[in-house]
Amino acid sequence: MTASKPESKPELIQTAADVRIAATRVGEGPTVLLNGGLGMPAGVWQFTGVPAALVEAGFSVITYSARGLVPSSAPPAPYSVPEMADDAAAVLGHFGVDDAVIAGYSMGCYISQALASSWPGRIRGLAMIAGLRSSAIGEMVNEMELGLIERLGEIPEAVTVFEQLMTTLGPGMLGDDLTVRAWREVLTAGEPVWASPDGLKGQLSASHGWMLAKEPTPERLAAIDVPALVVAYQHDVFFPPSGSREAASHMPIADFHELDGLAHGGLMLDPDRRATALLVEFCRKVTAS
């Protein structure tokens, strides 16, 4: 199937009875599917530089906004990671893809792992950036957010902004008042990302359910028999390098990298785009034959 042009608008793809997913395919060559993090619409990938770098390297790239995010639909909560992986599989099927590299960031790594267990196509490689194994802090934040929704019907913006600042920015940026204030302005000025309150509650419940099940289990990781790239950031409190390194040790063919100086937002904030370079090289390697 001919790849979409870079300027193409997203296509709305029916993935379940009450779910339509907005997805875009750009570039020519072997396919790379990008699974975004919790609350991360497809457009955020552009700020990471990942799609442009992959297209320039000769790949076809699929990005999509997961259920709950605009302009996709938000079915009633709760959601589960396997359901979200089924949406991703339906997107691949829509574009006629049966052979791909699967990459994820943050919660998108959960979806990538579930997809590796369920998608009937051929996965050439599995890349996971800042999202292989969550920490106790990640579990506590999920519980706090779901509790606020149950009590207040929403998460106050001040709570969301504070959490994002404290986890996305590295120590150096957090110590700079001008930087913190500038990022606060950015985080409060954007358009809403959730299609409805069910979208936020649904994605949080999917993430929390995955953590409560102690995923990824050693058995799931050991069953990933394709080459894997695991990238962790030194100051990531949600997905610390120690946990990701230990989880990667259960995978038969895993290449682990710890990138210093950055926190959970390193994929977007690293001026050297180290994770992007590692991902491009990984995709080249696993699609070479």
Side-chain angles (χ1 to χ4, degrees), residues 28-169:
E28 303 282 350
T31 299
V32 181
L33 173 72
L34 300 179
N35 294 312
L38 194 153
M40 179 179 168
V44 175
W45 280 109
Q46 305 311 317
F47 293 99
T48 71
V50 169
L54 287 168
V55 169
E56 184 178 351
F59 293 94
S60 171
V61 181
I62 296 174
T63 56
Y64 68 98
S65 295
R67 61 170 63 194
L69 295 168
V70 293
S72 298
S73 57
Y79 308 158
S80 71
V81 168
E83 285 176 330
M84 297 177 75
D86 287 344
D87 291 339
V91 168
L92 288 167
H94 172 81
F95 288 113
V97 176
D98 56 13
D99 183 294
V101 179
I102 308 297
Y105 166 71
S106 193
M107 181 177 155
C109 297
Y110 302 170
I111 296 168
S112 299
Q113 293 161 35
L115 196 60
S117 301
S118 63
W119 186 50
R122 178 193 176 197
I123 295 179
R124 295 200 181 196
L126 193 64
M128 291 170 281
I129 301 171
L132 182 51
R133 174 165 288 164
S134 183
S135 65
I137 288 178
E139 295 177 17
M140 291 169 64
V141 169
N142 254 198
E143 290 172 2
M144 175 193 72
E145 292 176 330
L146 286 169
L148 287 170
I149 291 173
E150 288 301 318
R151 292 176 61 187
L152 305 177
E154 64 177 359
I155 302 174
E157 182 182 65
V159 174
T160 300
V161 171
F162 180 74
E163 176 209 318
Q164 289 179 321
L165 286 171
M166 292 299 295
T167 58
T168 301
L169 306 184

Side-chain angles (χ1 to χ4, degrees), residues 2 9 29 38 44-45 67 72 83 90 95 108 207 211 230 233 249 258 266 275 280:
T2 302
K9 293 182 179 179
L38 194 153
V44 175
W45 280 109
R67 61 170 63 194
S72 298
E83 285 176 330
F95 288 113
S207 175
M211 294 179 196
V230 179
Y233 290 105
S249 72
E258 177 179 342
V280 170

